[in-house]
Amino acid sequence: MCRWAAYTGEPIFLEDIVSRPGHSLIHQSHGATQCRTAINADGFGIAWYGDRSEPGLYRDVMPAWSDTNLKSLTAQVKSGLFLAHVRASTGTATSRNNCHPFTAGRWTFMHNGQVGGYDAFRRDAEMLIPEGLYPQRKGATDSEALFLVALAEGLETDPRTALERACARFISLARRKGAAPFLRMTAALSDGETLYAVRYASDDLAPSLWYRWSDSRKGMAVVSEPLEAGEGDWTEVPANSFCTFSAVDVRTQPFLPCSLKEAA
C-alpha cells in the first residue's frame, strides 16, 4: 500500500506537509503505521498548482527520504493546492512513469490501494481508455488506467459519478477475470480549483484516510495517516465516501460504484 497527502487552503511551503511534521509523508515512506508495510520506497511524486492552470510535477524512482532535490524543492515552493505520494508497488515496475501523481491537462490524480488480479485483465482495462485519451497513458499501473477511464466517464463535469462509473467497470472486470478483493482504494484528485478525495473498498477493509483543518496554516490537509501524533482532532473519512474540500468546509457523499450498472 502507498501513502499520500494533499492540501488545499492558503499557500504554504510544500515541506509543511511533505517533510517537516513528525509523521510527515517522507517519514511515512519508511515508517508508515496504518498499512501492511511500513516501507513505501518504490518512488514518489508531487504535483502542485500555482499561477497556471496545469500543475507542476516532480516524480522519481528513488525513495523519498533519499532525494535531496525533493527536500530542496519542498523548502522553496509554495502552493495553495498540492498532492504528494510515496509508492509501494503492487506489481508494476519501479519507473518514473509509474509514480503518482498522474496528470492530464489541469487534472491530477493519485491512488492508494489495489485492483484485484489486475494482470489477468490488463488488456481489457486498457481497452476502456478512449483513443483520444490514450496518448496520456504513459505508464503501466492500474491507477493511471483508472484515472483515464474516469476522465472518459465525465470527470470534468461530475467527478464523483465519473469515478464511480470507472470503479464499477474495474470491479466488474475483477469479478469476471481477476481476484478478490476486487477494489480497495483511497484517491485524491483535483482540477486545480477543488480538492476531492475518496475512500472505498469492495470488502470491509478500506485503506485509511483522514483530514484536518489547521488554523495556523489556514488550510485542510487530507492524508493517509495523521501528520503529528499529538494532534487529536483528525477526522477519519468514513468508508465508501467521496469528499469535496473547500477552503473551510468538507462535503461528504456516498461513494457506491457497485450500485451502478456497468456502462455498455
Side-chain angles (χ1 to χ4, degrees):
M1 292 289 184
C2 309
R3 303 282 82 182
W4 59 257
Y7 172 85
T8 183
E10 291 295 313
I12 61 172
F13 287 109
L14 306 185
E15 70 176 2
D16 289 345
I17 300 293
V18 174
S19 62
R20 290 190 66 184
H23 195 49
S24 69
L25 190 63
I26 287 182
H27 186 268
Q28 292 175 41
S29 71
H30 60 82
T33 61
Q34 296 186 14
C35 58
R36 288 182 301 175
T37 174
I39 306 300
N40 297 274
D42 297 322
F44 67 87
I46 186 164
W48 68 94
Y49 292 91
D51 295 332
R52 295 175 174 167
S53 60
E54 296 189 1
L57 181 64
Y58 177 57
R59 301 183 295 181
D60 211 336
V61 298
M62 298 175 65
W65 69 79
S66 67
D67 190 291
T68 57
N69 291 324
L70 177 64
K71 182 178 180 180
S72 177
L73 184 151
T74 59
Q76 296 296 328
V77 174
K78 272 189 170 183
S79 174
L81 178 53
F82 59 89
L83 297 82
H85 188 279
V86 291
R87 182 172 183 248
S89 173
T90 55
T92 51
T94 300
S95 70
R96 187 174 286 112
N97 283 338
N98 284 339
C99 291
H100 307 225
F102 306 104
T103 62
R106 64 195 181 107
W107 280 92
T108 302
F109 178 89
M110 63 184 179
H111 167 250
N112 166 44
Q114 64 189 94
V115 181
Y118 182 72
D119 282 347
F121 60 86
R122 181 190 302 271
R123 182 177 180 277
D124 301 80
E126 297 275 341
M127 295 297 291
L128 297 176
I129 304 171
E131 184 176 351
L133 285 171
Y134 202 79
Q136 301 287 342
R137 179 64 159 154
K138 307 298 185 183
T141 65
D142 51 4
S143 305
E144 185 188 45
L146 180 65
F147 171 41
L148 295 175
V149 173
L151 280 169
E153 293 288 355
L155 198 66
E156 291 273 359
T157 57
D158 188 346
R160 179 171 67 101
T161 300
L163 192 55
E164 281 182 329
R165 292 176 65 85
C167 288
R169 287 182 176 273
F170 275 61
I171 290 168
S172 177
L173 286 172
R175 286 183 185 277
R176 288 190 282 115
K177 295 187 176 184
F182 305 120
L183 179 63
R184 291 178 183 164
M185 67 178 293
T186 63
L189 55 154
S190 180
D191 59 358
E193 297 179 3
T194 304
L195 176 64
Y196 306 95
V198 61
R199 183 185 183 207
Y200 174 80
S202 57
D203 59 8
D204 295 327
L205 298 174
S208 58
L209 189 63
W210 305 80
Y211 67 86
R212 178 180 182 269
W213 167 262
S214 170
D215 287 329
S216 60
R217 299 186 186 110
K218 293 182 170 54
M220 192 82 71
V222 188
V223 299
S224 295
E225 300 184 12
L227 300 176
E228 295 284 3
E231 295 172 338
D233 53 347
W234 287 91
T235 300
E236 185 175 20
V237 175
N240 305 335
S241 295
F242 184 91
C243 297
T244 303
F245 295 91
S246 66
V248 296
D249 193 25
V250 183
R251 181 188 182 198
T252 302
Q253 300 171 274
F255 186 82
L256 301 170
C258 286
S259 68
L260 298 175
K261 292 182 179 180
E262 185 181 6

